[in-house]
Amino acid sequence: MISRFTLLFLSLLVPACSEPSKPLAHKAEPAPGLVWRTVGSWSGHGNGQTGSFSVETGALRIHWEARAAAAADNSSFKLWLHSAISGRPLQMAVDHKGPGKDVAYIEDEPRVSYFLVEAGTLDWTVTLEEAAPGSSR
């Protein structure tokens, strides 16, 4: 016979075992009435780290490009958001195999952060923008 405690425990456990939520990097663009302000732009070759930057709203748009020096270069391009205070990784913003370019949207708490880049032998550029209330007119 199953006790009431066991049933309660199982009822609390089932939602925790549900399918994980989709990564934040696939969120849609913020609502109208917001404008994008550039926070910073960085470029490099191979692995690297950007300087620290501060965000206020937490709604972020990342334009990234990874270019191969050699045609057969199949290095991965990974872009991690890290806390500039503790150094801990907060979330992966981009995970792409080989050369490419795209735009990623992520959300995070307002804080001071930096990007850690894992790019093998790829050349890369990253531009970070933050959504802020305003009008583009």
Side-chain angles (χ1 to χ4, degrees), residues 9-137:
F9 176 76
L10 290 175
S11 69
L12 295 173
L13 184 61
V14 169
C17 296
S18 64
E19 187 175 322
S21 60
K22 292 183 180 180
L24 293 175
H26 300 289
K27 284 196 171 274
E29 196 163 333
L34 295 176
V35 295
W36 293 102
R37 73 169 183 87
T38 301
V39 175
S41 189
W42 305 271
S43 61
H45 174 80
N47 299 337
Q49 178 178 316
T50 68
S52 296
F53 52 84
S54 181
V55 296
E56 297 169 13
T57 67
L60 306 173
R61 178 168 73 179
I62 304 162
H63 297 269
W64 64 271
E65 182 174 7
R67 296 170 308 283
D73 191 345
N74 230 5
S75 297
S76 290
F77 177 76
K78 294 181 182 182
L79 185 67
W80 290 88
L81 181 67
H82 279 247
S83 165
I85 304 302
S86 68
R88 72 183 171 92
L90 301 171
Q91 62 181 299
M92 181 182 285
V94 178
D95 184 4
H96 183 80
K97 181 75 172 168
K101 77 188 252 186
D102 203 354
V103 177
Y105 295 90
I106 62 172
E107 291 181 15
D108 192 48
E109 295 178 19
R111 70 174 93 219
V112 179
S113 304
Y114 66 89
F115 285 124
L116 182 68
V117 180
E118 296 176 24
T121 58
L122 298 172
D123 295 321
W124 51 269
T125 59
V126 173
T127 300
L128 175 64
E129 299 173 311
E130 177 179 31
S135 173
S136 58
R137 292 180 189 179

